Amino acid sequence: MADRPVHLASPALWCRATCLALPGTAVDSPFGPDSDVFRIHRKMFALLWNNPRVSDHLIVNLKAEPDEVPLLIAAHEIVRPGFHMNKRHWITVELSPEADLGFVEELIEDSYDNVVAGLPARLRSPLATLRGAPGGRRSPR
């Protein structure tokens, strides 16, 4: 994907559409109307919300491989330890104007794939077919 900064009228709509494009994704708002939780088979893979204590911009919490979390945080200014989440497994991504949209999309897809990988095989199999990848996982960046 090409490097594309987020210069959207609504990063929330872009993030929402990106998450909902993944097979089997459902969205709800258990934390109130100002947040969207994206799930696959009731397991959360993304939390989109605004928290002025964390950032002036919209943020999305995403699941990540534990060994990649410190590397992502060190390498990318928009990536932080997961706010209000298990910091070993979650990251917070700031949807600032400097954010690389392609990179954020990859992180969303990786989060989805991480959650799908933890599902029982009977639930994983149809999702892998829909994604067009055997096993549903992509190789690491």
Side-chain angles (χ1 to χ4, degrees), residues 62 72 91 93 103-111 141:
L62 301 167
L72 289 166
I91 55 174
V93 180
F103 173 64
V104 176
E105 185 173 3
E106 286 180 31
L107 292 175
I108 290 169
E109 291 173 356
D110 288 348
S111 182
R141 288 180 287 295

Side-chain angles (χ1 to χ4, degrees), residues 28-140:
D28 62 3
S29 299
F31 306 119
D34 295 332
S35 65
D36 286 332
V37 173
F38 298 91
R39 302 175 191 269
I40 180 69
H41 288 288
R42 298 188 190 124
K43 302 288 185 182
M44 180 170 70
F45 71 89
L47 167 61
L48 177 65
W49 58 316
N50 185 21
N51 186 325
R53 292 183 302 171
V54 178
S55 172
D56 292 334
H57 305 284
L58 199 62
I59 57 175
V60 60
N61 285 2
L62 301 167
K63 194 160 192 176
E65 292 289 335
D67 57 333
E68 290 182 9
V69 168
L71 302 172
L72 289 166
I73 292 167
H76 303 279
E77 194 172 308
I78 63 166
V79 179
R80 301 176 186 177
F83 186 75
H84 274 298
M85 306 296 263
N86 179 328
K87 290 169 183 30
R88 183 169 186 261
H89 296 276
W90 291 85
I91 55 174
T92 294
V93 180
E94 182 179 16
L95 298 178
S96 68
E98 297 78 30
D100 173 350
L101 198 56
F103 173 64
V104 176
E105 185 173 3
E106 286 180 31
L107 292 175
I108 290 169
E109 291 173 356
D110 288 348
S111 182
Y112 174 91
D113 289 343
N114 285 330
V115 173
V116 168
L119 294 173
R122 65 182 170 74
L123 298 176
R124 270 195 322 264
S125 191
L127 295 170
T129 303
L130 290 171
R131 287 278 302 227
R137 294 279 305 174
R138 296 177 313 143
S139 59

